[in-house]
Amino acid sequence: MKDVTQLHEGWNLRHEEALLPARVPGCVHSDLLAAGVIPDPFLGLDETEVAWVGRRSWSYVTELGHDSGHERSELVFDGLDTAAEILLDDSSLGSTRNMHRVHRFDVTGRTGSLEVRFASAYDEADRVRALTGERPNVYPEPFQYIRKMACSFGWDWGPTVVTAGMWRPVRLEHWSTARLAEVRPLVTVDGTTGRVELHVRAPRTASGSGRRLTLRATVAGAVAETSFEGEEATLRIEVAEPELWWPRGYGAQPLYGLDVELLDESGEPLDSWTRRIGFRSVTVDRSADEHGTGFTFVVNGVRIFARGVNWIPDDVLPSRVTPERYRTRLTQAAEANIDLIRVWGGGIYEDDAFYDVCDELGLMVWQDFLFACAAYPEEQPLRGEVEAEARDNVVRLMTHASLVLWNGNNENLWGFRDWDWETPLAGDSWGEGYYLGVLPRIVAESDPTRPYTAGSPWSGSWDHHPNDPRHGTHHSWEVWNRQDYAAYRADVPRFCAEFGWQAPPALATLRRALPGEELAPDSPGMLHHQKAEDGNGKLNRGIERHFGLPEDDFDRWHYLAQVVQARAVSAGIEHWRSHWPVCAGTVVWQLNDCWPVSSWAAIDGDGRLKPLYHELRRVYADRLLSLVPTEDGPVLALDNQSGVTWRTSVTLRRADADGTVLKEATFDLEAAARTVVRLVVPASLLPGTGSSKELLVADADGLRAVHVPVYEKEFAYPEPVYDVRVEPHGDSDTVDVVVTARTLVRDLLLQADRLAPTAAADRGLTTLLPGEEARIAVTGWSGDDVTAVRRALFSVGAV
């Protein structure tokens, strides 16, 4: 049987004349941080103090010893970041130039001093650029010339921290006769029968050549085996009436262990492979209709409105992201009613632990191939690396039931058309051959059970503009960059795969990241932790448009920026959900952050939930009640994405700013499963056109929607008055903050981290009418100081 020895201990990093203890998996930055050589790049302006690290070469060293009776010993690196040479007793075993591949070297019978020598990623990129020529790029860094996590070179939400190191496990594998090098299970469903078609590649030693071996597979109690003499074998298994895997909210997520064994002639095991699979079918309906060209996920025959978020690496040092951290972040996503995670193309193919959790939670995964926001050369040495990388990761990830889409790139097809690339390229390659040739071919050959799309955005062909909202997937960035968020309602994209609005992180996150700084929107640390072009200008214009810009009041600015972010994203989702099934999904930019920063994220770089997170939980719930503004006034939308009919009574109230109800009516409505019901609000219930004193409130089954006909700064909000009390919750680490409104209180928010850095509230923005009560559970704080609570409470009408 194959023996595996993990090589995680005994490594050192050469720095100057010293050897520093090194952690594997890890990277240069984390080792230098642990040794106190560099400051934390997440704090203050210290990102600039560590820039030199990415421009140097580095070496990791250890002693390689092994004593195996097997015929072959191989040194396996699951991830080398990035341009490396591997030396054993100063003799080169080989070199690498791709962070996203597994690399394997024969060390049979060899021991001695092992060195992994990393070149600067900048030097490697410069070398490749000299061979291929210049290509245009959205950012000034050379990430398109090296197969490395692009956002380590900085992005409009991320720092420039150019890593190097063994970022995934290292091991020795000892084997004889043959081993399982590749196992590709094609999992399909035919009626009530589940099928697994296994394609296996098993390289052999010289002594194993030509010998008849046996491949055996077991799943859900079904067993199949076959004998073969070459290096490839195919085996088919049928499972009668398997339980189907469903996205969250549509059914359960049963997973079946698939066990594969490789046996010699006497039945002794040589190697084994085990994964979990799920039986389900997935397609994307891209049919043309009267609205254009659709893009609708269909799982097990059910059409789905995808409630998605974009995922970036959860740490700019990705080796620090543990399985526990994946589980925490993805559980937060599921608890926000998210059912799709798009793994964005400027990051990494995540660890299997990420996809394991998605399998368990029913989170569909849209997986980008790793190309983003640049023209990529298609010549060698990159072309061969791209092919090998794609094959490696398609085979590795295709076992996961949660994976529902392969996507060729992020914004590069759009960029070629709209970002002035064609003239400087002058006919040079730019990646089109990857997206429309190499990648779809690899997916068709290796994983034909899943759909592929050439890019995001992509209209399906060059017959339409790549970002035409009427065709395929669409990215909506004009709103954040130039317009009011009301402009989201100007069109109905078939599938909105990116849109979003920025806000700063939680106050406790800022205080930790910017120690000693007097916080202001334009203070040095705040500006350094704002990477978007004119990011603060756009934040300020959004606040000014709706509320007026507060002067010399950082706390107020911070609160209003978070309110605008939540309002902007909910405006888009409410509008687009109300147009299901024409619009078949939204994917918010973005769920998470990789460091403390002002960004589009719903969960900040320290893991704290921004108001946007709670708003996502509301607008992504199976049942959504909304008042969607139109040219003819607000429309009540009852959106039911659950699997059962929603019958409810909706109360509509036209009220004065002081809370007086001027007109009220109740409507009994019914929305069938997976449908939307729209009701034109009767004229008698509409606030006067341009009224600064009337609002419309809709309530049903504990859900609330509010419509104000003017900008908030024009509305005659009373000074909010409310009572506050703190009550035990029954848990020593939890209390209830109870707020009772005496006036209209709009978008009340408890910023719990102002009570304690560990504190968190269970709800976000809440609007109360006079006499109504909100109960907010606060974990991580067991105090009873009402004055402190009042200081942590904010609302739109506050002075």
Side-chain angles (χ1 to χ4, degrees):
M1 186 70 172
K2 181 176 72 177
D3 292 333
V4 177
T5 304
Q6 298 297 330
L7 300 180
H8 293 170
E9 306 293 333
W11 289 93
N12 289 287
L13 172 67
R14 283 201 182 117
H15 174 61
E16 307 299 347
E17 302 301 319
L19 288 178
L20 306 177
R23 184 170 183 171
V24 175
C27 72
V28 172
H29 287 83
S30 56
D31 292 332
L32 296 177
L33 272 168
V37 174
I38 61 171
D40 187 341
F42 287 11
L43 302 183
L45 309 183
D46 287 342
E47 174 197 349
T48 59
E49 299 299 314
V50 303
W52 60 273
V53 176
R55 295 189 175 274
R56 278 191 46 175
S57 59
W58 297 93
S59 285
Y60 284 85
V61 295
T62 192
E63 286 297 315
L64 181 68
H66 57 94
D67 183 15
S68 171
H70 278 287
E71 296 175 84
R72 186 168 298 173
S73 296
E74 292 175 332
L75 179 61
V76 184
F77 298 91
D78 281 341
L80 290 172
D81 178 16
T82 293
E85 184 177 14
I86 295 85
L87 301 103
L88 186 57
D89 281 341
D90 295 325
S91 173
S92 179
L93 297 176
S95 60
T96 73
R97 56 170 69 92
N98 193 323
M99 177 181 182
H100 309 297
R101 289 182 56 192
V102 174
H103 295 91
R104 183 179 291 266
F105 302 95
D106 190 347
V107 292
T108 305
R110 300 183 63 180
T111 60
S113 177
L114 177 63
E115 179 180 3
V116 183
R117 187 180 297 166
F118 290 95
S120 161
Y122 286 103
D123 291 345
E124 171 67 9
D126 287 344
R127 184 186 72 82
V128 172
R129 178 163 45 192
L131 295 172
T132 64
E134 290 280 349
R135 298 295 193 282
N137 181 342
V138 170
Y139 298 103
E141 300 278 322
F143 61 82
Q144 73 266 49
Y145 304 105
I146 182 170
R147 296 310 298 161
K148 175 178 173 59
M149 184 175 87
C151 63
S152 68
F153 289 94
W155 220 260
D156 57 2
W157 37 257
T160 302
V161 180
V162 180
T163 51
M166 290 170 279
W167 73 291
R168 280 183 169 157
V170 182
R171 63 186 180 277
L172 276 171
E173 292 187 359
H174 309 285
W175 56 282
S176 299
T177 307
R179 69 177 179 88
L180 293 171
E182 181 179 292
V183 180
R184 291 192 299 111
L186 304 181
V187 182
T188 56
V189 179
D190 184 4
T192 61
T193 301
R195 291 195 169 91
V196 181
E197 182 177 290
L198 279 170
H199 295 263
V200 172
R201 184 169 60 83
R204 301 175 180 233
T205 62
S207 70
S209 179
R211 292 166 62 178
R212 178 164 289 276
L213 305 180
T214 297
L215 183 70
R216 178 183 298 155
T218 305
V219 61
V223 181
E225 63 178 48
T226 188
S227 296
F228 66 107
E229 295 179 354
E231 292 196 351
E232 296 185 355
T234 301
L235 183 62
R236 293 175 178 84
I237 314 174
E238 289 193 354
V239 177
E241 299 185 341
E243 293 185 71
L244 297 182
W245 182 97
W246 290 93
R248 62 161 302 280
Y250 289 80
Q253 292 78 44
L255 298 170
Y256 295 86
L258 173 61
D259 300 315
V260 179
E261 287 185 294
L262 182 65
L263 311 172
D264 67 13
E265 302 99 317
S266 63
E268 291 297 312
L270 298 171
D271 201 355
S272 64
W273 178 100
T274 298
R275 299 291 189 276
R276 294 183 303 174
I277 62 170
F279 291 95
R280 89 286 182 274
S281 65
V282 57
T283 59
V284 174
D285 184 352
R286 290 176 260 209
S287 302
D289 57 26
E290 67 272 25
H291 305 286
T293 310
F295 194 92
T296 305
F297 284 101
V298 183
V299 180
N300 300 329
V302 175
R303 301 172 70 83
I304 289 175
F305 182 95
R307 290 164 273 184
V309 288
N310 284 273
W311 172 277
I312 65 171
D314 207 49
D315 197 317
V316 75
L317 308 182
S319 59
R320 299 197 299 197
V321 181
T322 63
E324 293 75 21
R325 187 158 154 189
Y326 278 131
R327 186 168 294 278
T328 295
R329 201 69 70 241
L330 292 168
T331 298
Q332 289 170 324
E335 290 174 348
N337 298 311
I338 289 159
D339 62 17
L340 182 141
I341 306 284
R342 177 188 171 210
V343 181
W344 168 76
I348 58 175
Y349 305 99
E350 298 290 343
D351 188 83
D352 275 297
F354 172 93
Y355 305 91
D356 286 341
V357 177
C358 290
D359 290 343
E360 296 167 14
L361 296 180
L363 294 170
M364 296 180 289
V365 176
W366 160 331
Q367 177 67 56
D368 281 16
F369 288 100
L370 301 186
F371 303 89
C373 300
Y376 284 79
E378 297 176 37
E379 292 76 31
Q380 298 293 9
L382 289 177
R383 187 180 185 88
E385 289 294 337
V386 165
E387 290 216 28
E389 167 194 315
R391 289 188 186 279
D392 262 18
N393 287 284
V394 168
V395 171
R396 176 171 72 91
L397 300 181
M398 63 183 290
T399 59
H400 292 282
S402 56
L403 181 59
V404 298
L405 182 71
W406 295 105
N407 174 47
N409 75 89
N410 177 76
E411 298 190 344
N412 295 342
L413 295 161
W414 179 22
F416 179 76
R417 178 60 56 87
D418 277 0
W419 298 350
D420 300 321
W421 288 4
E422 292 189 61
T423 298
L425 280 169
D428 286 344
S429 67
W430 55 273
E432 182 183 29
Y434 294 146
Y435 320 136
L436 299 179
V438 172
L439 297 176
R441 171 172 53 82
I442 289 172
V443 171
E445 292 170 355
S446 299
D447 185 20
T449 68
R450 285 182 181 83
Y452 170 88
T453 186
S456 184
W458 180 234
S459 59
S461 77
W462 288 115
D463 293 339
H464 309 290
H465 187 280
N467 198 32
D468 188 333
R470 298 167 298 177
H471 301 278
T473 53
H474 174 67
H475 289 193
S476 180
W477 284 117
E478 284 299 301
V479 171
W480 158 253
N481 285 320
R482 297 174 181 85
Q483 300 171 333
D484 181 27
Y485 60 73
Y488 282 137
R489 305 181 186 110
D491 55 38
V492 181
R494 305 310 304 269
F495 193 106
C496 192
E498 277 191 25
F499 72 106
W501 200 279
Q502 269 202 359
L507 184 68
T509 299
L510 289 172
R511 285 176 172 162
R512 187 195 68 82
L514 306 175
E517 179 164 311
E518 185 176 347
L519 296 176
D522 58 353
S523 60
M526 286 294 295
L527 291 179
H528 186 77
H529 289 244
Q530 165 60 277
K531 298 295 185 178
E533 181 181 1
D534 190 30
N536 268 23
K538 293 169 185 174
L539 283 176
N540 289 340
R541 287 190 289 276
I543 295 170
E544 169 60 32
R545 186 179 291 118
H546 288 269
F547 299 101
L549 198 61
E551 295 184 9
D552 301 322
D553 188 343
F554 176 78
D555 289 344
R556 188 75 182 153
W557 177 89
H558 178 267
Y559 161 73
L560 291 176
Q562 294 198 326
V563 170
V564 174
Q565 179 187 41
R567 293 252 193 111
V569 170
S570 65
I573 294 174
E574 287 180 336
H575 170 66
W576 295 323
R577 274 192 68 169
S578 75
H579 286 277
W580 161 259
V582 176
C583 178
T586 57
V587 188
V588 176
W589 188 271
Q590 64 211 64
L591 176 69
N592 58 326
D593 269 327
C594 64
W595 76 313
V597 64
S598 291
S599 84
W600 296 264
I603 304 172
D604 76 17
D606 280 7
R608 293 187 174 92
L609 308 180
K610 292 157 73 170
L612 173 60
Y613 173 87
H614 298 283
E615 195 68 0
L616 286 178
R617 187 171 60 187
R618 181 184 72 84
V619 295
Y620 273 166
D622 281 351
R623 294 174 173 179
L624 174 63
L625 179 74
S626 54
L627 289 166
V628 181
T630 70
E631 291 182 356
D632 300 321
V635 169
L636 177 74
L638 207 66
D639 188 327
N640 179 26
Q641 291 299 329
S642 75
V644 296
T645 298
W646 182 15
R647 296 180 180 89
T648 189
S649 293
V650 180
T651 299
L652 286 173
R653 283 176 282 182
R654 177 165 59 92
D656 200 289
D658 65 6
T660 302
V661 174
L662 305 174
K663 182 73 174 179
E664 179 176 324
T666 299
F667 300 87
D668 292 328
L669 298 178
E670 179 178 305
R674 325 289 188 205
T675 66
V676 179
V677 171
R678 292 166 63 96
L679 174 71
V680 175
V681 177
S684 63
L685 291 167
L686 292 176
T689 302
S691 172
S692 63
K693 295 182 178 180
E694 294 181 359
L695 69 158
L696 178 63
V697 180
D699 291 289
D701 294 345
L703 306 179
R704 168 164 286 176
V706 178
H707 170 73
V708 176
V710 294
Y711 286 130
E712 307 290 340
K713 63 184 179 183
E714 299 168 2
F715 194 75
Y717 283 111
E719 181 176 350
V721 178
Y722 46 80
D723 300 329
V724 178
R725 65 183 190 273
V726 179
E727 298 180 350
H729 188 82
D731 185 323
S732 60
D733 194 38
T734 304
V735 298
D736 283 345
V737 170
V738 183
V739 179
T740 305
R742 300 306 177 197
T743 63
L744 171 66
V745 179
R746 185 77 196 278
D747 282 344
L748 179 75
L749 177 67
L750 176 62
Q751 294 188 353
D753 60 292
R754 292 173 179 267
L755 300 173
T758 56
D762 71 341
R763 63 193 298 174
L765 303 175
T766 303
T767 294
L768 300 174
L769 299 179
E772 293 182 336
E773 183 177 278
R775 184 172 292 268
I776 308 167
V778 178
T779 56
W781 182 70
S782 55
D784 58 3
D785 186 345
V786 171
T787 301
V789 171
R790 282 190 171 274
R791 287 197 297 265
L793 284 167
F794 294 80
S795 67
V796 163
V799 178

